[in-house]
Amino acid sequence: MILSNRYNFLYVHIAKTGGTSVRAALRRLQWRDPYYPAQWLCSRLSHLTGHRIAAKLPRHAKIVCAQEMLPREMFDGLFKFAFVRNPWDLQVSSWHHLKRERPHLLEGRESFDAFTRWKLDPQRPYQYHLDTAITPQTDYLVDLHGRLLTNYLGRYERLLEDFDYICRTIGVPTPALPHKRQATDRSKDYRSYYSDGLAELVGRHFARDVEMLGYRFDGP
């Protein structure tokens, strides 16, 4: 999550939606923010204390955290945005990411089908790096009553165009989006990874994303 007082925006970073690139592109705006030194200090203090002092908004914080922490008039006046992604495509991206960076989490379940079924099993013990990818994207975007709090939702599927719109809205030149954390084996269409049964399982798990964000298995 990025909060900018100078440019009056709040960016909600949902994992595997191009957010690392967006954060990198917006980083220079943070350096110009009058509150950035205080934000940086709080971030360092939080890290040094093992995040025991609740002094910062985490990278993948839900928007309701900012709503609770910020003064109401300030929160209401922010331009609040996020990027979302087709849930079936997101799961393929997450699997590739874990294969590349945390392959030990896949041991015994190396195939996409086996791993995804295990990951979505409600009886599975909690593991942070798995559960960030199975949390519905809409959980990051709504208040405690399920009401959408963002002003704009960009789509991963049109990342460049929507990022340009966001930059024009907050009144800054659009910086180039660097390519960050790209999967090494994504030549295949995400749909080819799925059997009918697995596609249905993912659709049920992310039913609210499918309904609220307007996605379907075959695309947006």
Side-chain angles (χ1 to χ4, degrees):
M1 182 174 284
I2 296 178
L3 170 66
S4 173
N5 290 270
R6 178 172 181 175
Y7 297 100
N8 202 44
F9 72 79
L10 181 75
Y11 167 51
V12 182
H13 181 179
I14 301 172
K16 310 310 299 174
T17 61
T20 302
S21 296
V22 171
R23 290 181 65 90
L26 294 176
R27 186 170 295 128
R28 63 182 181 84
L29 301 182
Q30 290 182 278
W31 299 338
R32 303 176 186 176
D33 197 290
Y35 289 97
Y36 180 68
Q39 290 176 338
W40 180 87
L41 179 59
C42 287
S43 179
R44 292 303 303 159
L45 288 173
S46 180
H47 178 75
L48 291 171
T49 60
H51 306 294
R52 292 183 176 88
I53 60 174
K56 73 167 191 171
L57 291 167
R59 176 186 295 262
H60 296 302
K62 298 175 181 178
I63 197 170
V64 70
C65 296
Q67 184 187 41
E68 293 293 320
M69 293 177 67
L70 297 173
R72 179 174 180 178
E73 63 278 6
M74 178 183 177
F75 179 83
D76 289 345
L78 292 169
F79 177 66
K80 299 173 284 289
F81 67 92
F83 279 87
V84 295
R85 185 173 187 171
N86 183 300
W88 290 274
D89 185 31
L90 189 150
Q91 294 309 305
V92 174
S93 177
S94 175
W95 178 67
H96 278 286
H97 172 79
L98 291 172
K99 275 193 8 177
R100 183 176 68 250
E101 299 195 12
R102 295 181 175 87
H104 63 282
L105 295 177
L106 278 69
E107 289 181 1
R109 307 174 187 89
E110 283 76 11
S111 74
F112 175 72
D113 187 286
F115 179 73
T116 302
R117 290 181 184 278
W118 175 73
K119 185 169 69 169
L120 297 181
D121 182 352
Q123 303 302 316
R124 173 184 57 79
Y126 174 84
Q127 291 193 49
Y128 171 78
H129 293 292
L130 302 182
D131 287 82
T132 55
I134 68 169
T135 300
Q137 295 168 80
T138 45
D139 281 10
Y140 291 89
L141 307 173
V142 299
D143 66 12
L144 296 177
H145 303 285
R147 295 179 295 229
L148 194 67
L149 293 176
T150 52
N151 302 107
Y152 183 75
L153 289 179
R155 304 276 176 169
Y156 176 84
E157 295 80 13
R158 54 176 192 245
L159 182 64
L160 295 178
E161 296 88 343
D162 288 355
F163 183 64
D164 179 64
Y165 172 82
I166 288 164
C167 290
R168 287 187 282 112
T169 300
I170 64 178
V172 300
T174 304
L177 277 174
H179 296 289
K180 298 287 186 178
R181 295 188 177 180
Q182 288 186 314
T184 56
D185 181 22
R186 285 305 311 272
S187 58
K188 296 192 298 181
D189 186 290
Y190 69 87
R191 290 168 290 190
S192 67
Y193 289 80
Y194 286 91
S195 64
D196 290 344
L198 184 61
E200 183 179 351
L201 175 64
V202 170
R204 287 198 306 269
H205 184 87
F206 295 101
R208 188 166 72 169
D209 286 0
V210 172
E211 178 181 356
M212 290 185 66
L213 303 179
Y215 282 110
R216 63 179 189 271
F217 180 66
D218 288 324

